[in-house]
Amino acid sequence: MASLSSCFALPGKFKTLSLNPSSSSSSSSSHGRVAFNSLGFSATISADAFAGGRLSVMSVGGGGGRCPPRFCVVCEAAPAKRADSAAKRARQAEKRRVYNKARKSEIRTRMKKVLEELDGLRKKPDAQAEEILQIEKLIAEAYSVIDKAVKVGTLHRNTGARRKSRLARRKKAVEIHHGWYTPAQAATA
């Protein structure tokens, strides 16, 4: 059975909408059509609500021959104008998105600088312990940026803590690698 699916553009003002009723039910079942009754819209429905809308008719079910096909009629109304409060929320969300994007980008940049400096120091065979002081300043700046992002809500506090921990662990690994730091032995009972 052929599925019936078509869209009709609705006029701006209407009172009744007819869906081409067929003349006889015997001929309609053989051609895959079903007689439709006219759809009536009450006077309380605004014609402007359907000014940019669509009407679609789809067949649903009715495959095996035992059940007659059913049809679903969908009327889509044109989207309404956004409320003032929703428009304000959209403006605020966009402003926050841009602000948060810049802050997150700064965090990534600071972390990348610290990690690159630590990698360079780790690969350097004749590194001195004083060279870590310069990297500690970069780490302090990165910590500050991360803490500010957590404070204003750009980052979750666990995410901020994880990123700070990552920097500290990498620094400690470099110090251990060069022998500037020896981890304390855990006391065994």
Side-chain angles (χ1 to χ4, degrees):
M1 175 176 259
S3 71
L4 206 172
S5 113
S6 56
C7 294
F8 305 98
L10 293 176
K13 296 195 186 303
F14 55 84
K15 293 202 176 169
T16 342
L17 179 64
S18 297
L19 297 176
N20 300 331
S22 63
S23 59
S24 69
S25 60
S26 62
S27 65
S28 66
S29 61
S30 63
H31 297 305
R33 291 190 206 132
V34 169
F36 290 101
N37 293 328
S38 296
L39 293 178
F41 294 93
S42 69
T44 58
I45 294 178
S46 167
D48 295 334
F50 290 99
R54 290 184 337 171
L55 174 76
S56 24
V57 182
M58 307 177 266
S59 83
V60 180
R66 292 187 322 184
C67 302
R70 294 179 302 149
F71 291 91
C72 177
V73 178
V74 179
C75 295
E76 297 177 10
K81 179 182 174 274
R82 207 173 353 186
D84 291 340
S85 60
K88 182 177 179 181
R89 276 302 208 181
R91 287 194 307 270
Q92 290 173 337
E94 179 63 19
K95 191 186 292 185
R96 277 194 307 271
R97 185 188 69 80
V98 171
Y99 179 76
N100 291 340
K101 184 178 176 185
R103 206 173 265 286
K104 286 179 181 179
S105 173
E106 184 180 5
I107 291 169
R108 283 191 298 270
T109 303
R110 301 259 184 183
M111 287 185 66
K112 186 177 176 184
K113 283 182 182 179
V114 170
L115 296 175
E116 285 175 352
E117 289 290 324
L118 286 171
D119 285 343
L121 188 61
R122 185 181 179 109
K123 292 175 183 174
K124 197 172 177 183
D126 57 342
Q128 300 298 318
E130 293 78 29
E131 294 180 43
I132 201 79
L133 297 175
Q134 193 176 28
I135 295 174
E136 284 177 350
K137 288 181 184 177
L138 291 175
I139 290 174
E141 290 173 3
Y143 279 9
S144 175
V145 172
I146 290 170
D147 287 338
K148 285 178 185 174
V150 168
K151 186 173 81 172
V152 298
T154 301
L155 286 183
H156 191 274
R157 65 177 182 227
N158 293 354
T159 305
R162 186 177 65 247
R163 291 186 181 182
K164 287 165 59 174
S165 173
R166 184 179 297 160
L167 295 176
R169 280 183 296 152
R170 193 72 66 92
K171 176 185 164 237
K172 187 170 278 191
V174 170
E175 289 175 336
I176 290 171
H177 175 75
H178 286 293
W180 304 326
Y181 175 82
T182 54
Q185 297 295 328
T188 57

